[in-house]
Amino acid sequence: MLKKTFTALTFAALLAGCSGGVNNNQAAQNADFERIKADQIGYQTNTAKIAVIPETGSEDFEIVDLVSQKTVYSGKASEIKEWEFSKTKVRQADFSDFNQDGIYFLKCKGAGDSYPFAIGEGIYDDLAIKAMKSYYFARCSQEIKPEYGGKYARPAAHPDDKIKVHKSAAGPKRKEGDIISSPGGWYDAGDYNKYIVNSSISVWEILNTIELYPDYCKKLNLNIPESKNALPDILDEVLVNLRWMLTMQDPDDGGVYHKLTALGFNGMIMPHEDTDERFVIKKSTTAALDFAAVCAKAARVITKYESELPKLSDTLKKAAVSAWKWAQKNPEILYDKNPEGVLTGQYDDREIRDEFTWAALEMVLLTGDKNYLKNISESDFAFKVPSWDSTSCLGIASVLNNPKNAEKFDESFYNFFKDGFIKLADGILKNYENSAYATPLTFFPWGSNSVAANQGLILVTAYNTTGNTKYLEAAQADLHYILGRNPLDYCFVTGFGGKPVKYVHDRRTVADGIDAPVAGYLCGGPYAHAGGDVPDSLYTSTAPAMRYLDNHNSYTTNEIAINWNSALVFLVYALH
Ligand code: 9MR
């Protein structure tokens, strides 16, 4: 049998060539009905393939080849069920046994046709490249050159080589108003500030991708200024932020500033138009521990690149050890609210024992010294889907990445955290299996799309640990949700799918005068308590999975952020 492999290019070309067909098709008899929801990029060959039909749709559905317009598959959808999070009633159309590579759409009576989707291998390659390349566009202190940034080229901004020590960050050696240099890194999100806590999970997730999928990482060319060197581009890109993080450690005591920001958020202007003075703000225990965890992971993951990155691993190890020591001496310096007069993102956290578990596990993996766990007890672990403020499972994932790591821990302790992790994965899997929408997602906080992606991290790690392919299927379901199999019918990644989000809350996107946003950004997504940003009446539903607006001002649902994209990057690379 002839097996086609869809490169990103062939897929894009096919879709472009067929857009007339798609449009005609969509203007057909079913246009008055709510559409069938499918992954708007597609489904890999030999994986589970489900689309969701609105309740008005018939049980009988067909798959139509987009090029020939011929029906290539007919099936019967499931009975109607309500998805409680969207309050919509739907059927599932399961066509998992259809494995013919091509580009298709789904249709049935009483429902609008789905957006087109591909079936094939390599269908996520373009997404993998653009989701990671998005960080290049967010580089601080650097010009984005036309040869790498195309129409999104922009001048260098925020040199950050003269940063003031804020009152809250003053110590015996570095006094209030002293000037330090802290250039580089990435802008956090829609704003131009830089935050250690959020950088840590972001950098960790990308390093985790590099640790687990080195060959795929090497294969993808991001077309960034470092593309010609010997390192994988994804590593070059993540080093941009990691190197900035190193400048945020006070060499005098090992403490780490929580953030480098202006005093307040500025308007929707381009980076080089921002003239606000920037400060390093207060050292915190969370910043020190997260920094220690990520430096320890980096020191370990990059050892094999010693000849290209001489001594960097050693520098990172020293940085991790001194930040860890600072946190032991200062275990309760909470960043629970901004110091007076500071109004930028808080990344505030009052429950910080999980940060100790993350850093301790990474330190054991790096040094082989179990003593790092000496003051950690079982109750310190939070078995939760990782987020910037819940980090235990990042450390456990690092441990589970290699079965040989078991030897580095006491058996009963290892079993405790491994079992807790797998139990978490089992819960997510069960939610997937019980879901009317075939998605594991059951809660919708700020940035819920990253919860979907981070569930993927738990599930993929559980699959890598146990070999149970059900976990993989559920992880794929998280990605399908993000890419269009959701009740809002959006592909939540800019530049992808038949209905991509466009009006993300991002200063560059709003101010650059270019209609289309840079492709590859994951937006925050539906938030059960969205509001306070646009007039409340614009949120037309109170159902948690529906409370979303593709609007520049909806920062509670439509911002972009480095920690959301890193979760997407991991998931896409893992499922490639
Ligand atoms: O991702 C953060 C989310 O979990 C919080 O609920 C929210 C409010 O504190 O802040 C989010 O982080 C924002 C940060 O504070 C500033 N840069 C933009 C981030 C994404 O919205």
Side-chain angles (χ1 to χ4, degrees):
M1 193 181 85
L2 180 71
K3 192 158 161 39
K4 266 184 274 173
T5 296
F6 278 94
T7 63
L9 274 179
T10 50
F11 180 39
L14 259 172
L15 272 183
C18 292
S19 60
V22 180
N23 290 336
N24 291 340
N25 187 297
Q26 281 153 9
Q29 50 162 349
N30 287 347
D32 293 340
F33 293 100
E34 191 189 327
R35 214 179 258 286
I36 300 171
K37 316 294 195 300
D39 184 319
Q40 295 171 23
I41 293 182
Y43 304 82
Q44 286 166 309
T45 326
N46 297 318
T47 61
K49 300 175 206 68
I50 294 170
V52 172
I53 299 179
E55 70 174 317
T56 53
S58 69
E59 196 185 1
D60 297 304
F61 70 91
E62 287 171 29
I63 299 178
V64 180
D65 184 296
L66 193 66
V67 181
S68 68
Q69 295 284 311
K70 290 205 174 101
T71 296
V72 291
Y73 182 96
S74 309
K76 279 212 183 299
S78 69
E79 65 196 25
I80 292 173
K81 271 201 205 160
E82 183 178 86
W83 195 42
E84 68 253 57
F85 304 104
S86 59
K87 305 267 179 269
T88 42
K89 294 197 173 106
V90 294
R91 299 176 189 277
Q92 289 187 15
D94 188 336
F95 49 104
S96 302
D97 57 344
F98 181 67
N99 283 305
Q100 185 75 50
D101 290 3
I103 306 217
Y104 309 98
F105 64 91
L106 229 87
K107 72 175 198 178
C108 72
K109 283 210 183 85
D113 302 340
S114 77
Y115 286 109
F117 57 84
I119 293 180
E121 304 295 344
I123 59 171
Y124 299 134
D125 287 355
D126 195 32
L127 176 63
I129 290 170
K130 296 211 168 92
M132 192 56 221
K133 173 86 181 254
S134 71
Y135 291 93
Y136 168 68
F137 291 99
R139 284 190 193 184
C140 178
S141 322
Q142 264 191 42
E143 178 189 356
I144 301 302
K145 295 208 168 123
E147 56 262 51
Y148 310 113
K151 62 182 173 186
Y152 302 102
R154 59 173 172 83
H158 302 104
D160 286 353
D161 53 350
K162 290 182 195 68
I163 296 296
K164 263 196 186 155
V165 175
H166 188 258
K167 192 173 165 186
S168 60
K173 293 227 167 118
R174 286 183 171 178
K175 306 256 171 13
E176 179 183 357
D178 281 0
I179 301 293
I180 67 164
S181 178
S182 187
W186 303 317
Y187 298 130
D188 183 57
D191 60 314
Y192 297 139
N193 301 297
K194 306 191 282 195
Y195 307 81
I196 284 294
V197 164
N198 207 39
S199 276
S200 300
I201 180 170
S202 312
V203 169
W204 183 96
E205 292 196 315
I206 296 169
L207 288 167
N208 201 49
T209 309
I210 297 168
E211 181 180 14
L212 285 178
Y213 309 105
D215 295 340
Y216 192 56
C217 285
K218 229 174 158 182
K219 186 179 134 184
L220 299 186
N221 179 353
L222 303 185
N223 183 30
I224 54 176
E226 301 78 9
S227 285
K228 289 205 175 68
N229 72 16
L231 299 176
D233 287 358
I234 184 175
L235 177 54
D236 278 313
E237 190 55 55
V238 82
L239 287 175
V240 167
N241 208 50
L242 189 60
R243 288 195 161 111
W244 165 70
M245 289 180 75
L246 288 173
T247 69
M248 289 289 280
Q249 183 170 45
D250 182 346
D252 295 323
D253 63 2
V256 180
Y257 304 110
H258 196 73
K259 59 182 182 176
L260 186 165
T261 75
L263 295 181
F265 289 119
N266 49 21
M268 302 310 260
I269 53 176
M270 286 300 280
H272 60 279
E273 291 165 343
D274 177 13
T275 52
D276 287 352
E277 191 172 23
R278 286 151 78 88
F279 298 80
V280 284
I281 315 276
K282 188 180 162 173
K283 291 170 191 162
S284 68
T285 309
T286 44
L289 290 168
D290 291 1
F291 174 97
V294 81
C295 288
K297 171 122 177 165
R300 192 165 49 79
V301 170
I302 67 162
T303 41
K304 65 176 182 190
Y305 301 105
E306 185 59 33
S307 56
E308 291 86 1
L309 300 168
K311 300 206 175 80
L312 183 59
S313 176
D314 195 45
T315 302
L316 287 161
K317 182 175 174 184
K318 286 188 181 130
V321 170
S322 62
W324 170 267
K325 283 189 181 151
W326 186 91
Q328 298 308 303
K329 278 193 218 136
N330 302 278
E332 279 172 11
I333 312 251
L334 296 183
Y335 201 98
D336 51 353
K337 61 174 184 338
N338 274 327
E340 216 188 307
V342 179
L343 300 169
T344 46
Q346 299 202 124
Y347 290 109
D348 48 312
D349 197 354
R350 286 161 196 80
E351 285 174 27
I352 67 168
R353 290 307 301 171
D354 55 294
E355 277 75 12
F356 279 93
T357 65
W358 181 25
L361 291 176
E362 297 290 358
M363 293 304 286
V364 175
L365 291 179
L366 176 64
T367 62
D369 180 357
K370 273 194 269 191
N371 276 322
Y372 282 103
L373 282 164
K374 186 166 76 194
N375 297 320
I376 305 280
S377 62
E378 294 188 352
S379 62
D380 292 331
F381 282 83
F383 293 104
K384 290 188 186 160
V385 174
S387 59
W388 60 263
D389 59 348
S390 185
T391 56
S392 288
C393 284
L394 300 175
I396 303 172
S398 275
V399 175
L400 296 180
N401 280 349
N402 186 340
K404 282 201 192 127
N405 288 336
E407 295 158 17
K408 296 185 174 152
F409 300 89
D410 291 341
E411 199 184 340
S412 65
F413 205 40
Y414 177 83
N415 287 337
F416 160 75
F417 57 70
K418 178 182 168 189
D419 292 351
F421 190 99
I422 299 295
K423 210 164 135 203
L424 174 66
D426 286 337
I428 302 169
L429 175 58
K430 203 160 152 214
N431 288 340
Y432 163 65
E433 287 170 341
N434 292 336
S435 166
Y437 230 95
T439 170
L441 200 58
T442 55
F443 67 109
F444 297 84
W446 189 317
S448 67
N449 283 339
S450 74
V451 177
N454 279 316
Q455 285 184 331
L457 173 84
I458 298 293
L459 292 160
V460 165
T461 310
Y463 163 71
N464 289 342
T465 308
T466 63
N468 180 351
T469 53
K470 274 280 167 198
Y471 293 126
L472 206 54
E473 183 183 325
Q476 272 154 344
D478 273 315
L479 186 60
H480 293 320
Y481 168 88
I482 288 171
L483 299 178
R485 194 172 72 197
N486 60 65
L488 290 155
D489 205 16
Y490 275 111
C491 174
F492 288 121
V493 183
T494 55
F496 285 89
K499 188 186 172 192
V501 294
K502 285 187 187 144
Y503 307 104
V504 287
H505 178 83
D506 168 46
R507 280 163 179 70
R508 289 168 288 143
T509 306
V510 173
D512 65 6
I514 302 168
D515 276 352
V518 169
Y521 283 110
L522 176 67
C523 72
Y527 172 31
H529 307 292
D533 41 17
V534 298
D536 207 52
S537 56
L538 294 181
Y539 293 110
T540 49
S541 174
T542 51
M546 302 297 278
R547 219 172 153 75
Y548 167 79
L549 209 61
D550 186 19
N551 179 309
H552 287 312
N553 295 321
S554 175
Y555 61 80
T556 57
T557 74
N558 213 28
E559 191 159 358
I560 57 168
I562 54 172
N563 60 318
W564 303 340
N565 252 71
S566 60
L568 176 68
V569 164
F570 176 82
L571 187 56
V572 174
Y573 281 61
L575 299 179
H576 74 272

